[in-house]
Amino acid sequence: MKYVSTRGDRTERGFSEILLEGLAPDGGLYMPVSYPKVDTATLERWRSLSYAGLAFEILSLYIDDIPPADLRRLVDQAYTEAVFGTPEIVPIRPLEPGVWIEALSNGPTLAFKDLAMQLLGALFEYELGRRGQTLNILGATSGDTGSAAEYAMRGKRGVNVFMLSPQGRMSPFQQAQMYSLPDANIHNLAVEGVFDDCQDIVKAVSADLEFKRRWRIGTVNSINWARLLAQVVYYYAGWFQVTAAAARRGEPLPRVSFAVPAGNCGNICAGPVARMMGLPIEQLVLATNENDVLDEFFRTGTYRVRGRAETHETSSPSMDISKASNFERFVFDLLGRDGARTGELFGPALVRDGGFTLRPDEKARLPAYGFVSGRSTHADRLATIRDTWQRFGSMIDTHTADGLKVAREHLRPGVPMLVLETALPAKFASTIVEALGREPVRPPGLEGIESLPRRCTVVPVDVERVKRYIETHA
Ligand SMILES: *Cc1c(COP(=O)(O)O)cnc(C)c1O
């Protein structure tokens, strides 16, 4: 399989070439030249596989420059019961009739990002070792991404992580989770500022091309194709579980819907890929919080990026985005893979007009992809968390609550709805207390993490100080 850019650069690159890169040279995102089709017989054969076995089959369709035996070993190393807590890796549990929760949040940092990041850590270590190279990962986080990256890269040969976070602004649990890591290759820098300051520092360091090359600076952001590919697997794994009974009765391929709480769109953008490969998905329900850029797009065909002042701080903070990085991938497919048009919309049009509106003929193609959308507010989250706890004894986090609220608005008779659980409630304790008047349950082993010793260096909002830290610790 070869990869091309969403913005018109048709140079074909192999998977291991794009793995360690961010954007394509023309500023676009990498995409496979086509989506392999999975036929019914193959689907039936995959039903009996373990999660790692399924991941291997799907990844093999997109990766042909890593020997199969090596890929199998990397996948087996990433998806174990020891790391994810259950043999299913992404177990489902029922709520009301027709609605299930698919738990993507049982990894080391209790959020779905672990599923892609654990694989990315194994792939990075392998590819760097093969090339005899090292990499210094520099990132900014307001919580989930940074900790998932650190837990995936800890102890990996050839990789250092320098993660900037806004000092004192993450939840106490998130701070404890990141800052307590003892590994020598993990560096936490608590910036005396807000998340945007952290992001500006990362951008400034990356813009210094000489520094970037000299210190081999890389990223693990959500636009990496390998992350999106890893996420395709759990759409299949969810479908197999929820259709198990129908398959035993010999019924033909039932259709299933997925509801996904969306931020940068990495999670839900794996949905249309699974669907175009042939997985029988009825609807892809996209849920936003008060930051409703994407709900607006799917309702109106207009994509309007928000400024900082218009980006709300909410109780589902991992969805507080002003623009959705991965969304360009979906639009590229929607526009019939017209790189020039995609490049115009996400390049000049975004800079000039802060967004774009699809032409009527383009908008008319939207229904074919199965997307519907909706938004959820703080009050909706509280009500959904309370109701789910009282009626089903199931405690869900604030992001999953957004997904469930919007999922209920789109139920169709006879079509199971799988709501992707993107985090565990333990990560967002204050809103759980507000909704339920009690502390969230914590998975075993994490009871006392706030009292563990911390490794974290406080730095001012100062690009040069961060560069000097990297120079002395890389
Ligand atoms: C990252 C995250 C999201 C949003 O996922 P995207 O891939 O950015 O759309 C939703 N919920 C939680 C808990 C997250 O960590």
Side-chain angles (χ1 to χ4, degrees):
M1 178 64 76
K2 298 291 184 205
Y3 294 85
V4 294
S5 166
T6 51
R7 298 205 185 166
D9 180 349
R10 308 287 308 169
T11 315
E12 297 195 349
R13 297 173 171 86
F15 176 83
S16 48
E17 272 180 274
I18 65 160
L19 173 65
L20 299 172
E21 288 187 31
L23 296 173
D26 64 356
L29 277 58
Y30 286 116
M31 289 284 270
V33 293
S34 63
Y35 298 114
K37 294 286 179 289
V38 178
D39 60 24
T40 307
T42 309
L43 258 188
E44 288 309 325
R45 186 167 59 78
W46 285 359
R47 181 175 285 286
S48 60
L49 298 176
S50 66
Y51 191 88
L54 179 63
F56 173 73
E57 294 291 337
I58 293 174
L59 265 61
S60 297
L61 300 174
Y62 290 91
I63 303 175
D64 52 20
D65 49 9
I66 295 178
D70 291 356
L71 185 60
R72 180 73 218 211
R73 184 170 47 76
L74 297 173
V75 167
D76 285 345
Q77 174 191 336
Y79 299 119
T80 63
E81 183 174 349
V83 173
F84 287 95
T86 64
E88 294 88 0
I89 309 294
V90 290
I92 65 168
R93 61 180 192 272
L95 291 182
E96 67 258 44
V99 180
W100 281 261
I101 299 273
E102 181 175 356
L104 307 183
S105 41
N106 294 339
T109 74
L110 316 186
F112 86 93
K113 292 186 177 70
D114 288 327
L115 281 160
M117 214 66 100
Q118 288 290 318
L119 180 72
L120 202 67
L123 285 168
F124 269 32
E125 183 176 51
Y126 174 81
E127 187 59 30
L128 289 167
R130 194 153 77 151
R131 298 176 180 201
Q133 289 176 358
T134 58
L135 187 69
N136 291 303
I137 292 170
L138 175 65
T141 188
S142 53
D144 290 346
T145 311
S147 56
E150 291 189 352
Y151 278 77
M153 301 296 167
R154 61 185 295 197
K156 291 279 190 286
R157 280 180 307 274
V159 185
N160 288 307
V161 177
F162 298 89
M163 193 56 68
L164 312 186
S165 52
Q167 190 194 15
R169 291 189 183 248
M170 297 186 296
S171 78
F173 182 86
Q174 286 176 313
Q175 294 182 39
Q177 219 178 18
M178 278 182 63
Y179 300 163
S180 65
L181 277 177
D183 307 79
N185 70 328
I186 303 298
H187 303 273
N188 289 301
L189 298 174
V191 175
E192 294 172 316
V194 295
F195 172 65
D196 288 323
D197 296 316
C198 301
Q199 220 168 18
D200 288 345
I201 294 174
V202 171
K203 278 190 198 142
V205 173
S206 304
D208 181 344
L209 296 180
E210 155 65 18
F211 183 90
K212 194 176 167 198
R213 201 166 32 240
R214 172 127 175 262
W215 295 98
R216 300 170 308 278
I217 303 293
T219 57
V220 286
N221 47 29
S222 69
I223 49 127
N224 191 306
W225 167 256
R227 279 181 66 181
L228 196 139
L229 179 56
Q231 293 166 356
V232 171
V233 179
Y234 51 68
Y235 284 83
Y236 278 84
W239 184 87
F240 282 123
Q241 290 178 78
V242 84
T243 62
R248 275 194 302 273
R249 290 192 300 268
E251 292 168 21
L253 304 184
R255 297 176 75 78
V256 169
S257 294
F258 289 87
V260 189
N264 265 325
C265 232
N267 199 1
I268 197 162
C269 277
V273 174
R275 196 168 182 270
M276 286 184 276
M277 290 169 69
L279 190 68
I281 296 178
E282 174 102 351
Q283 299 178 96
L284 290 161
V285 182
L286 181 148
T288 70
N289 62 17
E290 290 87 338
N291 297 292
D292 55 0
V293 185
L294 291 166
D295 178 38
E296 182 177 270
F297 173 80
F298 282 101
R299 281 186 295 102
T300 66
T302 294
Y303 179 62
R304 187 176 62 84
V305 169
R306 313 296 202 249
R308 273 183 198 180
E310 258 189 299
T311 306
H312 310 281
E313 265 187 51
T314 75
S315 48
S316 44
S318 298
M319 295 157 70
D320 292 349
I321 50 108
S322 47
K323 62 175 186 204
S325 323
N326 265 291
F327 179 57
E328 181 171 339
R329 290 200 154 99
F330 169 68
V331 173
F332 179 64
D333 280 331
L334 178 75
L335 301 178
R337 302 203 137 206
D338 181 341
R341 174 82 173 138
T342 312
E344 157 63 20
L345 295 185
F346 284 90
L350 270 197
V351 175
R352 192 179 58 231
D353 312 323
F356 59 79
T357 299
L358 295 179
R359 292 192 309 250
D361 61 309
E362 293 167 344
K363 192 173 173 225
R365 297 186 201 144
L366 267 177
Y369 288 85
F371 276 101
V372 290
S373 70
R375 87 197 270 277
S376 163
T377 64
H378 181 69
D380 293 324
R381 280 188 277 289
L382 295 181
T384 306
I385 291 169
R386 206 174 292 136
D387 167 73
T388 308
W389 177 243
Q390 285 169 355
R391 281 202 291 152
F392 310 109
S394 183
M395 200 184 283
I396 56 171
D397 99 293
T398 51
H399 306 76
T400 309
D402 288 333
L404 180 55
K405 185 261 179 187
V406 178
R408 286 188 172 134
E409 296 164 355
H410 293 283
L411 294 176
R412 287 182 181 168
V415 181
M417 174 74 73
L418 278 171
V419 179
L420 301 189
E421 178 171 56
T422 55
L424 290 192
K427 289 194 98 159
F428 303 98
S430 65
T431 309
I432 298 298
V433 172
E434 190 182 344
L436 302 180
R438 55 161 287 173
E439 290 286 331
V441 271
R442 242 189 218 191
L446 295 172
E447 290 86 3
I449 64 165
E450 284 91 341
S451 56
L452 292 175
R454 295 188 176 194
R455 287 176 65 249
C456 171
T457 304
V458 178
V459 293
V461 181
D462 180 346
V463 176
E464 293 308 315
R465 282 285 287 278
V466 172
K467 283 184 177 168
R468 242 170 295 142
Y469 186 94
I470 295 172
E471 286 168 355
T472 47
H473 294 85

